[in-house]
């Protein structure tokens, strides 16, 4: 009997008793779409495009494969995926084997490499990869996926007050979320949730919850965030209310629950920047009933704690003073010589108004003595009134690390041309505080200005002008006017404030009203809004001087 072997040019075919094995991709074979190698390469190319559905079409189970591939692609969230086919081999029984080498790439030169293997079958529709999650990564179970996650160094840094005590720290919190799409009667759920929260959060009423829902139609809203000890006070489980879920997370919170401050957001931003700079990464394998398994990653040491200039006792005093009036009131305190921010507080009305340390507000007649002195003192000066105002801290922008909130625009107040009697002038609280510090320093014989700051060792950025030496011909009449205001003017009724020097003013009957006072080595800036806001600012000042 004769056995005929058909030979093709430059191709070696080896006949075996059981099967014929052909190495695909060698000698130019396997590049066509109807080969096993071609199908596997199409699969790899689709993964490189991060197109899960397209890749799944080259498998025997497109539905299962598409879901699994999508879960991994989304979980890995890579900037780039490179998948190459290694050693594809086709067998004469209509099957094939192959390996895949995959490189996942992210920013900062982070990469994760993996080699997996799989098989393929020739069906009536062509070559298809036999679907198995292990094609993605060896040992990946059904329903499993890979994911790239951020890791944070431990222990987390804290925010500390000027005394070194912990002012803010990371703590687990519980976000109580109401989803209107998951309850048949959202109003009933709002009422039930308010009753559940009443023992610990009585101000979160059904009306407050309904208002939050109205501001985000059809979307879940966080009704309140509670610490773990708060949850233990509740007499019933919020999750028992239809539509309510609890999301656990970590948050930087005040160590002293009595304290709150507009500085929280700025300090949190600075603290978070440290966490971001020291963050690590990890690739994990996850699956049903499995503990996440680390496959790769890197995590460095934790960052330093944030050392601030905040005086916790003074912060509590400022908070008590701010709630003295039933209209928006915000209080800022600075060290009179260094410009260090000692604290900042506001009442709920000011919080609702969104009053911040960076935003500018009309000063009305408050700065009349200052502008008059600048007009007189700037005569003959090379840089004119604008330069004098800059050195007083009024014509510049301050970006104070730990206080200034991120903004699409520039924080602080832009340089403006000022003139005596200009009631349209607007200022930020930080600008008014810098003015107060400049006056306090001049009163102590140091006629120069310094920028306010919150974080020790981190300088404040000053733009749109320069601080510096101030002519006594400018500061002397301002200090004289401030002393007169405290002795016989609008601030003369204040008690408990020996040696007080002050600027007081409003922008008309509807305000806003300002108070800038120098007393006891501190500069106190008070800003109030609403009817008779000038009187309200003096009420807040009096409360401060009485309890300080």
């Amino acid at each position: 009997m004769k056995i005929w072997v058909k030979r093709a040019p430059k191709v070696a075919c080896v006949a075996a008793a059981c099967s014929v094995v052909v190495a695909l991709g060698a000698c130019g074979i396997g590049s066509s779409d109807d080969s096993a190698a071609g199908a596997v390469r199409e699969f790899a190319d689709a993964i490189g495009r991060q197109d899960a559905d397209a890749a799944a079409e080259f498998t025997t189970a497109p539905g299962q494969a598409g879901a699994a591939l999508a879960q991994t692609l989304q979980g890995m969230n890579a900037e780039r995926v490179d998948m190459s086919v290694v050693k594809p081999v086709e067998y004469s029984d209509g099957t094939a084997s192959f390996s895949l080498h995959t490189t996942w790439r992210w920013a900062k030169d982070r990469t994760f490499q993996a080699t997996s293997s799989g098989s393929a079958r020739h069906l009536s529709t062509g070559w298809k990869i036999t679907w198995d999650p292990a094609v993605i990564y060896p040992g990946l179970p059904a329903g499993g996926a890979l994911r790239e996650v951020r890791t944070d160094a431990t222990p987390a840094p804290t925010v500390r007050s000027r005394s070194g005590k912990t002012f803010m720290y990371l703590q687990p919190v519980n976000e109580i979320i109401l989803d209107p799409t998951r309850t048949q009667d959202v109003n009933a759920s709002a009422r039930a949730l308010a009753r559940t929260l009443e023992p610990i959060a009585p101000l979160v009423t059904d009306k407050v919850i309904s208002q939050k829902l109205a501001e985000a139609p059809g979307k879940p809203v966080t009704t309140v965030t509670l610490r773990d000890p708060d949850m233990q006070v509740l007499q019933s489980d919020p999750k028992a209310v239809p539509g309510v879920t609890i999301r656990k997370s970590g948050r930087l919170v005040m160590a002293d629950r009595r304290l709150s401050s507009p500085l929280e957001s700025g300090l949190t931003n600075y603290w978070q920047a440290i966490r971001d700079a020291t963050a690590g990464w990890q690739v994990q394998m996850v699956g049903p009933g499995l503990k996440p398994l680390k496959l790769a990653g890197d995590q460095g040491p934790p960052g330093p704690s944030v050392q601030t200039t905040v005086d916790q006792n003074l912060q509590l005093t400022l908070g008590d003073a701010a709630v003295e009036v039933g209209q928006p009131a915000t209080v800022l305190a600075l060290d009179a010589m260094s410009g260090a921010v000692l604290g900042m507080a506001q009442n709920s009305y000011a919080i609702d108004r969104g009053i911040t340390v960076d935003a500018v507000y009309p000063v009305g007649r408050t700065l009349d003595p200052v502008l008059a002195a600048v007009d007189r003192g700037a005569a003959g000066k090379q840089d004119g009134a604008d330069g004098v105002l800059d050195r007083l801290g009024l014509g510049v922008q301050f970006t104070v690390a730990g206080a200034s909130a991120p903004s699409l625009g520039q924080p602080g107040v832009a340089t403006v041309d000022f003139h005596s009697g200009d009631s349209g002038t607007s200022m930020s609280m930080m600008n008014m505080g810098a003015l107060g510090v400049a006056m306090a320093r001049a009163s102590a014989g140091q006629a120069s200005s310094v920028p306010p700051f919150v974080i020790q060792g981190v300088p404040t950025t000053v733009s749109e002008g320069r601080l510096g030496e101030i002519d006594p011909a400018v500061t002397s009449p301002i200090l004289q006017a401030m002393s007169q205001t405290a002795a016989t003017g609008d601030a003369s009724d204040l008690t408990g404030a020996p040696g007080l020097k002050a600027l007081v003013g409003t922008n008309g009957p509807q305000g806003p009203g300002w108070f800038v006072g120098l007393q006891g080595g501190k500069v106190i800036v008070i800003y109030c809004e609403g009817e008779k806001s000038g009187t309200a600012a003096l009420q807040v000042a009096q409360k401060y001087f009485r309890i300080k």
Side-chain angles (χ1 to χ4, degrees):
M1 182 177 69
K2 291 184 177 180
I3 300 177
W4 296 93
V5 179
K6 185 177 182 181
R7 298 180 181 274
K10 301 182 181 180
V11 176
C13 296
V14 180
C18 297
S19 64
V20 177
V21 180
V22 180
L24 303 176
C27 303
I29 292 182
S31 60
S32 61
D33 290 339
D34 59 355
S35 68
V40 178
R41 277 194 288 268
E42 292 285 358
F43 174 87
D45 289 345
I47 294 297
R49 300 191 304 272
Q50 302 197 45
D51 188 340
D53 290 339
E57 290 300 318
F58 293 95
T59 72
T60 56
Q64 297 177 23
L69 292 170
Q71 187 177 0
T72 287
L73 289 171
Q74 292 170 8
M76 294 292 270
N77 193 28
E79 290 188 351
R80 179 178 167 186
V81 183
D82 296 318
M83 180 178 280
S84 58
V85 183
V86 182
K87 296 181 179 178
V89 178
E90 186 176 312
Y91 303 94
S92 62
D93 61 355
T95 62
S97 63
F98 60 87
S99 294
L100 296 172
H101 184 72
T102 309
T103 303
W104 305 82
R105 304 180 190 276
W106 298 272
K108 300 181 180 179
D109 296 325
R110 290 175 294 147
T111 61
F112 171 64
Q113 296 182 340
T115 299
S116 57
S117 59
S119 62
R121 290 187 292 165
H122 190 272
L123 306 178
S124 59
T125 54
W127 283 97
K128 301 292 182 182
I129 294 173
T130 304
W131 175 245
D132 184 337
V135 170
I136 300 175
Y137 186 83
L140 186 67
L146 302 183
R147 67 182 184 187
E148 189 267 343
V149 297
R150 169 188 169 127
T151 60
D152 286 298
T154 56
T158 60
V159 177
R160 298 186 178 276
S161 64
R162 66 186 309 187
S163 66
K165 294 175 61 176
T166 298
F167 181 54
M168 302 175 72
Y169 69 112
L170 181 67
Q171 185 173 21
V173 295
N174 303 269
E175 298 178 59
I176 312 300
I177 301 170
L178 176 57
D179 186 345
T181 65
R182 299 178 62 181
T183 175
Q184 295 181 350
D185 189 338
V186 66
N187 292 326
S189 289
R191 291 192 296 269
L193 180 56
R195 288 194 298 270
T196 300
L197 298 175
E198 186 175 7
I200 193 67
L203 297 181
V204 183
T205 63
D206 59 325
K207 291 183 179 179
V208 171
I209 296 174
S210 296
Q211 182 178 352
K212 289 187 176 184
L213 291 168
E215 292 172 353
K219 296 182 179 179
V221 298
T222 299
T223 59
V224 69
T225 301
L226 302 177
R227 306 184 192 194
D228 285 348
D230 299 333
M231 297 293 291
Q232 298 174 8
V233 176
L234 301 180
Q235 298 176 0
S236 60
D237 187 353
K239 290 185 294 184
V241 177
V244 173
T245 57
I246 299 177
R247 180 169 60 203
K248 285 189 169 290
S249 61
R251 180 174 297 182
L252 193 66
V253 300
M254 288 288 188
D256 187 336
R257 299 174 64 113
R258 299 173 298 171
L259 298 179
S260 65
S261 173
L263 297 175
E264 286 183 64
S265 60
L267 290 172
T268 298
N269 289 333
Y270 190 86
W271 174 88
Q272 187 62 54
I274 294 176
R275 292 276 277 175
D276 292 344
T278 58
W281 65 283
Q282 193 173 107
V283 173
Q284 299 175 341
M285 179 193 295
V286 294
L290 298 179
K291 181 180 179 180
L293 174 64
K294 176 183 175 181
L295 302 178
D298 179 65
Q299 175 60 65
S305 290
V306 182
Q307 307 294 333
T308 77
T309 59
V310 175
D311 182 321
Q312 292 195 63
N313 293 329
L314 180 60
Q315 179 64 45
L316 186 60
T317 299
L318 297 179
D320 289 342
V323 299
E324 178 70 9
V325 295
Q327 60 196 88
T330 304
V331 193
L332 172 67
L334 306 94
D335 181 87
M337 298 305 293
S338 68
V341 174
L342 303 177
M344 185 177 182
Q346 57 188 176
N347 60 19
S348 60
Y349 302 99
I351 294 174
D352 292 341
R353 285 279 295 126
I355 295 170
T356 69
V357 73
D358 286 328
V360 297
Y361 307 101
V363 297
R365 318 303 303 189
T366 310
L367 293 179
D368 279 2
V370 177
L371 301 179
V374 169
D375 279 346
R376 292 191 299 268
K381 300 289 184 181
Q382 184 175 2
D383 53 1
D386 287 347
V388 177
L389 287 162
D390 289 349
R391 290 191 290 278
L392 288 171
L394 294 176
V396 297
Q397 291 181 345
F398 296 115
T399 303
V400 184
S404 299
S407 172
L408 294 178
Q410 292 182 322
V413 57
T415 301
V416 183
D417 289 330
F418 296 93
H419 303 282
S420 294
D422 183 2
S423 60
T425 299
S426 294
M427 279 297 181
S428 73
M429 292 192 70
M430 203 64 85
N431 286 112
M432 298 292 265
L435 169 66
V437 171
M439 290 301 97
R441 289 170 60 85
S443 180
Q446 300 184 34
S448 62
S449 53
V450 294
F453 65 99
V454 175
I455 299 176
Q456 297 180 23
V458 180
T460 292
T461 300
V462 181
S463 57
E464 302 296 335
R466 294 182 180 179
L467 303 178
E469 299 291 327
I470 308 171
D471 192 336
V474 174
T475 60
S476 293
I478 298 175
L479 288 169
Q480 183 178 358
M482 294 178 74
S483 295
Q484 184 175 354
T485 298
T488 61
D490 291 340
S492 60
D493 290 337
L494 295 177
T495 60
L500 174 67
K501 296 178 176 63
L503 292 171
V504 179
T506 66
N507 192 45
Q510 297 301 316
W514 290 86
F515 173 89
V516 180
L518 319 181
Q519 200 276 331
K522 299 179 181 64
V523 173
I524 305 298
V525 180
I526 301 171
Y527 173 75
C528 292
E529 290 186 347
E531 190 173 355
K532 297 182 179 180
S533 55
T535 300
L538 290 171
Q539 286 179 272
V540 173
Q542 182 60 81
K543 181 66 175 290
Y544 164 77
F545 290 125
R546 187 165 66 246
I547 64 177
K548 68 179 176 62

